[in-house]
Amino acid sequence: MSLNEDLEVQLRAMNPATGEFPPHSADLVQRSIAQGRRMRLLGATRIAAVTALALVTAGGTLMATDAFGSRGGDGTPDQLRAGAPARSTGQPPSREPSSISGDEMVRTLESLLPPGGTVSAASGRGSQSDGPVVWPTAKLTYSTANGSAGLDLAIARLESDIPADQQQGQAGCLPVEVRPYDKCTTEKLPGGAVLNTTKSFTYPTSDTGQKRWYVVFTTADGVQLTVQQFGGGGEKGSSSGADPLLSIAQLTSIVRSAVWSKAIAAVPAPEEPPSTSASTGTKRVPGARMTRVLKAHLPQGGTLSDLNAGDGMVQLVYDDSHGKNMVEVDAQYDRTALLAGHMGCADVTGECQAMTLADGTKVKKVKGRSEKGGSALVWLVDTLRPDGRRVVAREVNSYAEAGPVTRPQPALSMDELLDIVLDKQFFTG
């Protein structure tokens, strides 16, 4: 799956107004990244500096294990997201960074594979000290009498001056509303390292087709090694649904092996990124407030689960004992220009109603099918106030838009959704 395809999957799951609905906000990607919707590994182009790393046999750093060592369990897991770009960590100028070639990356990955198989379609990318920074990577197809699997591995470092919970890179499980079929685990290891494992699919909005398993190991120092594996061959090379050849435990041993020490030390220091002062002044509604206001509107007696909230956005699953129902609210400032011409029903498929309230607030109500196909219903109420503030509420008769239908229709009526989006407390607290 390409970077753009995976971003589209994530943005559609988060975006309160996609397809025939009004366009998403300009800062949606940044907010998505900050809340766990990180971009995928292989499409990223910037990385952080990595200084030489001391390897010790503690949970917080890389461990020396063989390809089938017992470290790391066979879990149900997390999804692949790209590490955030990072600034230089101040590597002493007197020390020239080491280097590693693409061929060395491939040979290292090959050395960790089970004996008896064959390798084909191998390619690698090494470090480079001049020009744009790159991640060292290795990619190959591994085959045995039982079939084939595509393997990709990449190494990066998280940014040192951003809180870990805001940039987890590849690590951290995406919410069920976004990735309904992922089986993901996160394990905190002794010493500060984190291990994420994921069993998913190449097309993550489906529970059929080619399987994609991956493991992310993040050391206490912020170094992140990610290996992903595609069942049946290379990415999108099969639709059989066969299990990948290597188990989660075997993938874990690969990313935790000390043989990657040279590659880690060779990751070049990136250039200082340009100032983002323009974005730092953007007003956003606090996630805690978003959550509090939404919860206050949900009918009593139901149960809440899978809460996922960030500045300007909250998602959760509400169950009134008649089936799970995903509810999402997005609140934004300064949307007048962006939504010009989009608050009417022109070119909208499904049932649509548009109106303007006495105070000048524009309201758009839409009932339609999920844009992801399948049978899920999406009900949406979008509002644009005269001063440019926008609140959108949408719900799906499932725990995720791409998930299986769990009830005949969404739990909240359109009038209840309207009450939610007209609540002034989203902006006043």
Side-chain angles (χ1 to χ4, degrees), residues 283-416:
K283 292 189 295 183
R284 291 173 181 165
V285 181
R289 186 194 303 169
M290 297 285 300
T291 303
R292 183 175 66 251
V293 177
L294 174 57
K295 283 184 175 180
H297 283 275
L298 297 177
Q300 296 184 355
T303 59
L304 305 180
S305 63
D306 299 292
L307 174 65
N308 175 47
D311 288 351
M313 183 278 300
V314 59
Q315 292 174 316
L316 54 78
V317 176
Y318 171 76
D319 191 341
D320 59 359
S321 78
H322 297 292
K324 292 184 176 182
N325 189 86
M326 189 272 281
V327 183
E328 176 185 300
V329 177
D330 211 294
Q332 304 156 355
Y333 292 91
D334 303 322
R335 301 292 97 179
T336 300
L338 183 67
L339 296 180
H342 290 283
M343 291 303 294
C345 291
D347 301 322
V348 173
T349 57
E351 180 181 334
C352 180
Q353 180 183 7
M355 66 188 78
T356 301
L357 304 182
D359 65 355
T361 298
K362 295 181 179 180
V363 178
K364 179 177 180 178
K365 300 179 179 180
V366 179
K367 289 184 177 181
R369 292 287 180 182
S370 168
E371 60 174 3
K372 295 177 172 59
S375 303
L377 297 174
V378 179
W379 290 4
L380 174 145
V381 177
D382 195 353
T383 57
L384 179 64
R385 290 164 168 80
D387 61 3
R389 291 177 297 171
R390 178 197 191 191
V391 181
V392 189
R394 67 195 299 267
E395 61 176 334
V396 182
N397 57 338
S398 174
Y399 54 83
E401 187 172 342
V405 169
T406 52
R407 52 186 301 128
Q409 64 182 24
L412 306 179
S413 69
M414 296 295 279
D415 287 340
E416 288 174 309

Side-chain angles (χ1 to χ4, degrees), residues 67-137:
F68 303 98
S70 60
R71 303 203 180 272
D74 187 356
T76 51
D78 165 62
Q79 71 295 324
L80 202 59
R81 287 166 295 285
R87 292 183 283 277
S88 170
T89 56
Q91 190 175 21
S94 59
R95 295 180 57 187
E96 290 295 327
S98 60
S99 62
I100 189 168
S101 68
D103 288 342
E104 287 178 286
M105 288 292 297
V106 171
R107 287 197 299 270
T108 303
L109 179 57
E110 285 188 42
S111 72
L112 298 173
L113 297 176
T118 59
V119 170
S120 61
S123 63
R125 185 174 65 191
S127 60
Q128 93 182 30
S129 57
D130 299 322
V133 295
V134 295
W135 285 351
T137 63

Side-chain angles (χ1 to χ4, degrees), residues 8 18 38 42 63 89 156 160 228 230 293-294 322 350 379 410:
E8 182 180 2
T18 55
R38 275 75 58 182
L42 297 179
M63 287 188 172
T89 56
S160 60
Q228 62 174 338
F230 297 92
V293 177
L294 174 57
H322 297 292
W379 290 4

Side-chain angles (χ1 to χ4, degrees), residues 147-195:
S148 298
L151 287 160
D152 294 339
L153 181 138
I155 301 174
R157 177 188 281 275
L158 296 180
E159 199 166 346
S160 60
D161 58 349
I162 295 179
D165 62 354
Q166 294 182 19
Q167 63 145 345
Q168 299 169 45
Q170 304 299 327
C173 299
L174 281 174
V176 68
E177 295 94 335
V178 178
R179 301 291 286 269
Y181 301 111
D182 279 11
K183 295 180 179 179
C184 170
T185 63
T186 299
E187 179 184 2
K188 294 183 178 180
L189 303 175
V194 179
L195 182 69

